[in-house]
Amino acid sequence: MLHKTRGIVFKTTDYGETSVIVQVFTEKFGLQSYMVNGARKPKARISRNMLQPLHLLDMVVYHKSTGNIQRIKELKNSPQLQTIPYNVIKSSLAMFLNEVLYKSAKQQTADENLFDFVFNAIEWLDHQTEGLVNFHLLFLVRLTRYLGFYPDRYLAGEADYFDLKNGVFCRYKPDSVLYLSPPHTQNFVALLQSSFENIAQLKLSNEDRRHLVTKLLEYFALHIEGFGNVRSHEVLEEVLN
């Protein structure tokens, strides 16, 4: 049966001599795998270049609830990304966020709120010129809301520590080693209070940013089974520095 849906490319893998299998986070069906025959041919109707990580799609697809690999009837990049593929900072951000999303959003059922958040954030990044160095931090924090482990902000204004394991702010050092301490706790609070519109006003040093992203990835690993290690943040930090 044919369905129209928007999609976000997560991963493309070469298959056979000319085809690819692309994993797309779709608005209607969650994460799905699609076979695209001939995508690596020079004059392909759906080319591999259209299926780069975090590219935004309008799709007409065949969908079978019992199928592991689905088929695409029609596909176009919509909206067409104007700057992310060509700006080294934005493309590095996209590579990092794509890896986090691929490890986080694994459900094969619709999650329209999560989809809308990611889709709109990518569009915003594509058009934005300021505040790029902190974009990934705010994206990770906002993403936790849709994944079910957004920090409990009670005591956020008066606590010296944030307990990563339990997702709460606390006045005293947690028993485990998995926590944020001053001044990083205060930086984290400022991040929680930020929006994409004012993210450029958040002043963090390179060291503060590196520490926060490391702790946020620990936070994800604690709350998402099988999350594992994210490697692309090292490349991203080199670019941002």
Side-chain angles (χ1 to χ4, degrees), residues 14-57:
D14 291 345
Y15 182 83
E17 293 186 3
T18 61
S19 300
V20 299
I21 295 175
V22 57
Q23 290 178 276
V24 180
F25 185 56
T26 68
E27 186 173 21
K28 280 193 173 182
F29 308 111
L31 187 61
Q32 297 291 326
S33 295
Y34 295 94
M35 175 75 74
V36 184
N37 293 322
R40 291 149 58 202
K41 290 182 177 180
K43 296 182 180 180
R45 183 174 58 87
I46 300 175
S47 70
R48 200 184 197 287
N49 194 50
M50 299 169 70
L51 305 172
Q52 298 301 310
L54 296 193
H55 274 36
L56 307 177
L57 308 175

Side-chain angles (χ1 to χ4, degrees), residues 63-85:
H63 185 80
K64 295 181 180 180
S65 58
T66 56
N68 291 325
I69 298 180
Q70 312 287 352
R71 296 273 179 177
I72 298 172
K73 183 178 187 294
E74 299 174 15
L75 178 149
K76 65 178 180 179
N77 293 124
S78 181
Q80 185 94 30
L81 298 181
Q82 301 298 312
T83 64
I84 290 176

Side-chain angles (χ1 to χ4, degrees), residues 124 128 130-132 134 195-203:
W124 186 91
Q128 190 63 15
E130 296 181 329
L132 298 179
N134 296 320
S195 66
F196 286 122
E197 288 70 29
N198 67 18
I199 192 65
Q201 300 171 24
L202 183 62
K203 305 302 180 184

Side-chain angles (χ1 to χ4, degrees), residues 134-151:
N134 296 320
F135 175 83
H136 59 305
L137 297 174
L138 183 56
F139 182 95
L140 291 181
V141 168
R142 292 291 179 87
L143 181 60
T144 64
R145 186 184 296 277
Y146 302 94
L147 298 178
F149 53 97
Y150 186 74

